Amino acid sequence: IIKLNTNENPYPPSPKVIKAIEQEVGKDLRLYPTPTMDELKQSIANFYNVHKENVFVGNGSDEVLAFSFMAFFEPGKEILFPEITYSFYPVYAKLFNITYKKVPLTKDFQLDVVQFFNSEGGVIFPNPNAPTSIYLSLEKIEEIVINNRDKVVIVDEAYIDFAPKSAVSLIDKYDNLLVIQTFSKSRALAGLRVGFALGNKTLIDALIRMKDSFNSYPVDRLALAGAKAAIEDKAYFEEITNKIIATRKWVTDKLEQLGFRVLPSATNFVFASHREYPAKDLYENLRNQNILIRYFNQDPIDHYVRITIGTDEEMEKFIEAVEEIIK
């Protein structure tokens, strides 16, 4: 099976990650992990040139998102997020009884930033957006933050390492901005479940209080050791990220030659639509050949497919299969 449907990294994690986990296995697994996670927080802070007090760590970015919904969004006050976006936002909103409004994208799938101004309860959106793969500039993000000064604006940066710039550079300037990231994509650690948030100390303290009211030990010893080694191995991180970006460009060019419209991607996947061949048929025909991609059966993206960038070998087989199906 060629698995191009869940946006996992096609490359293994850094060898230093494996070594760190192996060393941790031989230590004190009988003891609870650290509730403060200070060493990992410090390594993340060093990487992003912020203070340890600006970092929160959780059991995957989904958990960090859930804590954020509980900490910063209030029942009865409407929050805003894009109409086409990460599917968990409405799930969390309903779970925590948060009123929400889906803001339509423009015809070319961009965020209309003015529509996110002056929210009643707060704002959340991915950057780059998912599943469209489109990146929003820091200038546009800053407009949203400035026009919601008394509300929290959450930027979900799961795919930011494949994009131009992170909004982390803005957190010293704006105390209402929270940036959430993950080790799952660019650092190839989806199996360890480690996510983190970066923001003003007041926001981070609120997340810590929320975490401690549920579980003081959400991240286990092996995950802490592996994540620390991953964030510290900058050379390996840059190597595999650059590989994926290069393959993304090659895949985009090939798909366009086959008659696809491919949205400008700043992620580890591409979002594509063929002018004549139905997306659902393409998805099903590829699945019959054990090549898995993602199809969204919802308007207005039901004529698009999302394709994770795999290894060069995987993507060559994918392109060959697509070419055969289209012809």
Side-chain angles (χ1 to χ4, degrees):
I1 292 176
I2 297 178
K3 193 169 181 289
L4 308 176
N5 62 332
T6 50
N7 297 341
E8 293 152 319
N9 199 306
Y11 301 106
S14 162
K16 293 180 180 179
V17 170
I18 307 304
K19 184 177 179 180
I21 292 173
E22 289 174 343
Q23 290 176 342
E24 192 64 32
V25 167
K27 292 184 179 179
D28 292 322
L29 290 185
R30 66 185 182 84
L31 301 177
Y32 286 111
T34 166
T36 60
M37 299 172 276
D38 284 339
E39 290 188 11
L40 176 55
K41 286 182 181 178
Q42 188 61 61
S43 294
I44 294 171
N46 293 343
F47 185 89
Y48 289 99
N49 196 28
V50 298
H51 299 293
K52 177 167 64 71
E53 290 73 24
N54 298 124
V55 182
F56 174 83
V57 175
N59 188 262
S61 61
D62 283 336
E63 181 184 74
V64 180
L65 284 167
F67 286 151
S68 299
F69 267 73
M70 290 187 283
F72 307 122
F73 298 155
E74 299 179 43
K77 293 189 176 182
E78 183 180 80
I79 66 169
L80 304 175
F81 52 77
E83 181 180 27
I84 302 170
T85 193
Y86 184 39
S87 60
F88 260 74
Y89 298 162
V91 172
Y92 286 141
K94 291 173 184 176
L95 181 63
F96 303 126
N97 198 29
I98 307 295
T99 306
Y100 63 90
K101 177 184 177 182
K102 295 182 178 181
V103 179
L105 301 182
T106 64
K107 289 183 179 180
D108 56 353
F109 296 105
Q110 301 281 345
L111 266 67
D112 184 355
V113 296
V114 176
Q115 301 301 315
F116 291 89
F117 291 178
N118 304 315
S119 65
E120 182 185 20
V123 175
I124 183 169
F125 60 91
N127 193 42
N129 197 8
T132 65
S133 78
I134 294 178
Y135 174 76
L136 187 68
S137 70
L138 293 191
E139 291 76 16
K140 297 289 188 182
I141 291 174
E142 198 165 5
E143 287 183 45
I144 295 174
V145 175
I146 290 171
N147 285 280
N148 288 282
R149 289 299 286 132
D150 60 344
K151 301 298 177 184
V152 176
V153 175
I154 301 174
V155 183
D156 183 358
E157 292 189 338
Y159 303 99
I160 196 63
D161 294 319
F162 307 100
K165 289 182 180 179
S166 168
V168 171
S169 60
L170 300 176
I171 65 173
D172 283 340
K173 194 173 179 181
Y174 301 104
D175 59 6
N176 63 321
L177 173 63
L178 187 75
V179 176
I180 296 177
Q181 294 193 17
T182 178
F183 282 80
S184 296
K185 313 301 182 184
S186 57
R187 290 183 172 81
L189 290 177
L192 279 193
R193 311 310 303 131
V194 182
F196 58 98
L198 301 154
N200 181 272
K201 184 179 183 299
T202 302
L203 300 183
I204 299 304
D205 287 345
L207 288 174
I208 292 172
R209 288 195 299 273
M210 192 61 64
K211 170 189 76 75
D212 288 345
S213 67
F214 285 88
N215 178 9
S216 297
Y217 312 100
V219 184
D220 65 63
R221 285 179 173 271
L222 304 186
L224 288 171
K228 184 174 184 294
I231 198 78
E232 292 176 357
D233 193 350
K234 187 176 180 180
Y236 184 84
F237 156 76
E238 291 177 345
E239 177 188 347
I240 62 172
T241 302
N242 289 334
K243 276 185 182 180
I244 291 168
I245 292 172
T247 306
R248 182 183 73 195
K249 183 181 185 307
W250 180 85
V251 170
T252 299
D253 292 343
K254 288 293 185 181
L255 288 173
E256 289 177 342
Q257 291 169 18
L258 291 171
F260 282 85
R261 178 198 180 195
V262 184
L263 299 190
S265 176
T267 61
N268 67 336
F269 61 87
V270 293
F271 202 54
S273 173
H274 196 269
R275 290 192 295 266
E276 300 173 0
Y277 202 90
K280 186 177 181 181
D281 292 351
L282 178 64
Y283 156 75
E284 290 177 347
N285 281 317
L286 285 170
R287 186 180 61 181
N288 291 336
Q289 298 184 45
N290 287 332
I291 299 175
L292 305 181
I293 61 174
R294 184 76 186 273
Y295 169 67
F296 296 86
N297 188 21
Q298 67 180 83
D299 186 61
I301 57 172
D302 53 356
H303 52 297
Y304 279 83
V305 290
R306 192 191 70 190
I307 306 145
T308 304
I309 301 300
T311 63
D312 288 346
E313 181 184 8
E314 288 174 331
M315 301 318 292
E316 286 169 3
K317 291 178 180 178
F318 163 76
I319 290 294
E320 288 174 7
V322 171
E323 188 171 13
E324 189 175 314
I325 290 168
I326 296 297
K327 289 183 176 179

